[in-house]
Amino acid sequence: MYSWRVTKYDPLNRDINGFYLDSNEWTCFSDVGKTVSLEKYLQVEQKYVNTIIAFMNEMDINKLYINDLEQYLEEIRAQNVTDFVSKLWIGKGITIGEIEELIKLILRNVIWCKLELKKQFFVHFGYDYYMYIGASENCYRTQEKVTSSGLYIEEFVSPYLK
C-alpha cells in the first residue's frame, strides 16, 4: 500500500529528525482569530477536504467507513453539530457527499476518527493538522493536484495503523 502524510507544512522547515521548526505556524481551529484569520483557515481546511475527495475520485471510491471514533461533547455543543454527530458510529459508511462535513468536524476538533475502506484506502488524522492517506494505487494525478493546491505530500507511513 502507498502511504503519504499530507500537510500545510513545508518539509523544508523540518529539522533532521522531522520536527517542524516554525513555531509561529497555526496548528488548530482554536488558533482562528489569534494566529490565523477565519478566511485563511477556511481556505486551508477546504484544501484538506478537496484532497480526500480527489483521492476518492481517482480510486473510484464513493464511501468510506468509520473505524475508531471519539466525540468531544464541549465542541459538539459549541459548534452546534449535535444532529450530524449523533448519526455517527463505528462501522458507519460515509458517502463522498457527507465527507466534507465530517472532515471539517475532525479538523475543528469536534470528533476524531479513522476512515477506511478495507485494504484499498484510508484517511487518518493526527494532532496539529496532520493527515495521513493510504491507497492501494499510487494516485499520481491526485498527488499532483495536492501539490498544486499548496499542500505538501510526502511518502510517510501513518502512525495510526494498527
Side-chain angles (χ1 to χ4, degrees), residues 2-114:
Y2 300 93
S3 187
W4 305 275
R5 174 173 63 191
V6 179
T7 69
K8 63 187 194 73
Y9 308 114
D10 186 340
L12 296 177
N13 291 334
R14 294 186 186 282
D15 68 15
I16 195 164
N17 298 314
F19 295 106
Y20 199 71
L21 300 173
D22 185 354
S23 62
N24 294 320
E25 185 75 55
W26 64 269
T27 60
C28 186
F29 182 67
S30 64
D31 290 334
V32 170
K34 299 172 189 167
T35 56
V36 65
S37 69
L38 179 59
E39 179 183 8
K40 178 64 176 170
Y41 174 86
L42 293 174
Q43 289 171 356
V44 173
E45 179 183 74
Q46 192 62 50
K47 290 177 185 182
Y48 277 66
V49 170
N50 293 346
T51 294
I52 296 167
I53 292 171
F55 270 102
M56 290 177 73
N57 285 335
E58 185 166 344
M59 294 198 54
D60 198 26
I61 294 171
N62 58 18
K63 188 181 281 190
L64 297 174
Y65 295 87
I66 295 175
N67 182 3
D68 290 333
L69 175 65
E70 296 175 11
Q71 301 178 356
Y72 308 112
L73 192 54
E74 285 184 35
E75 286 300 320
I76 292 168
R77 289 181 182 146
Q79 296 187 41
N80 196 27
V81 292
T82 305
D83 288 341
F84 184 82
V85 173
S86 69
K87 298 172 188 164
L88 301 177
W89 63 85
I90 293 173
K92 177 178 175 40
I94 303 296
T95 66
I96 199 161
E98 298 169 309
I99 283 291
E100 183 167 0
E101 187 168 357
L102 182 75
I103 299 309
K104 287 180 178 182
L105 294 178
I106 293 168
L107 293 172
R108 295 177 186 183
N109 299 317
V110 174
I111 64 169
W112 176 85
C113 69
K114 296 193 289 187

Side-chain angles (χ1 to χ4, degrees), residues 104-135:
K104 287 180 178 182
L105 294 178
I106 293 168
L107 293 172
R108 295 177 186 183
N109 299 317
V110 174
I111 64 169
W112 176 85
C113 69
K114 296 193 289 187
L115 298 168
E116 300 178 350
L117 179 61
K118 299 179 184 173
K119 295 184 187 269
Q120 293 179 349
F121 187 76
F122 69 77
V123 181
H124 300 159
F125 295 88
Y127 296 101
D128 297 339
Y129 239 76
Y130 281 84
M131 181 168 67
Y132 304 92
I133 295 180

